[in-house]
Amino acid sequence: MRVLLDTSVLIAEVPPPDDVEAAISVVSVTELHFGVLVADDDDERARRTARLAAVEATFDPLPVTVEVARVWGQLAAAVARRGGNPRRRQIDLAIAATAHVEGVPLLTEDVGDFRIINDLVDARRLSDR
């Protein structure tokens, strides 16, 4: 089964099952770099840096293409039309758009973040896949 891993899954450090062909979005790399840069103490920064290095060594991230950008805009508009605040969800929406364009489920620890657009995004918990 092909899937896109959300940043929440990468941070949880729980490997996907063996029968999963996993990919990540370059947007997750952005989030992981941000996490390193805002870490308050040296031990946490070191832990986050090691996790980032492992992710970068493991994956060749999928880019944000024009098609992904188009779907990202559509998802943001859907959130706004449904009464949500798409500005708060931009990173999540970019990752969800990548999964949508790739035609794969998004594995996340934060399924609730996608509830407002669950008819447009196939977001699943790692344990529910």
Side-chain angles (χ1 to χ4, degrees):
M1 169 188 212
R2 292 181 57 231
V3 300
L4 188 75
L5 301 180
D6 183 42
T7 310
S8 63
V9 172
L10 298 172
I11 291 169
E13 299 184 27
V14 177
D18 291 336
D19 65 338
V20 168
E21 180 186 337
I24 66 168
S25 168
V26 70
V27 176
S28 289
V29 176
T30 301
E31 285 192 295
L32 294 173
H33 272 281
F34 175 75
V36 167
L37 295 170
V38 299
D40 287 333
D41 74 37
D42 292 340
D43 290 340
E44 181 63 18
R45 187 174 302 104
R47 188 185 71 70
R48 291 179 183 187
T49 299
R51 186 68 193 141
L52 172 61
V55 167
E56 288 183 329
T58 303
F59 297 98
D60 182 17
L62 298 169
V64 174
T65 62
V66 171
E67 186 178 5
V68 169
R70 190 175 298 119
V71 172
W72 181 0
Q74 292 166 353
L75 293 176
V79 169
R81 279 193 307 273
R82 296 170 184 191
N85 181 353
R87 293 191 189 277
R88 284 187 32 235
R89 296 184 165 93
Q90 287 302 321
I91 296 294
D92 294 333
L93 294 173
I95 295 169
T98 303
H100 183 83
V101 167
E102 292 294 317
V104 298
L106 174 64
L107 291 189
T108 179
E109 293 297 312
D110 303 321
V111 174
D113 290 349
F114 304 97
R115 189 165 290 123
I116 196 169
I117 52 172
N118 67 355
D119 59 319
L120 303 174
V121 175
D122 183 6
R124 306 176 191 181
R125 277 193 176 71
L126 187 57
S127 58
D128 296 340
R129 63 169 190 89

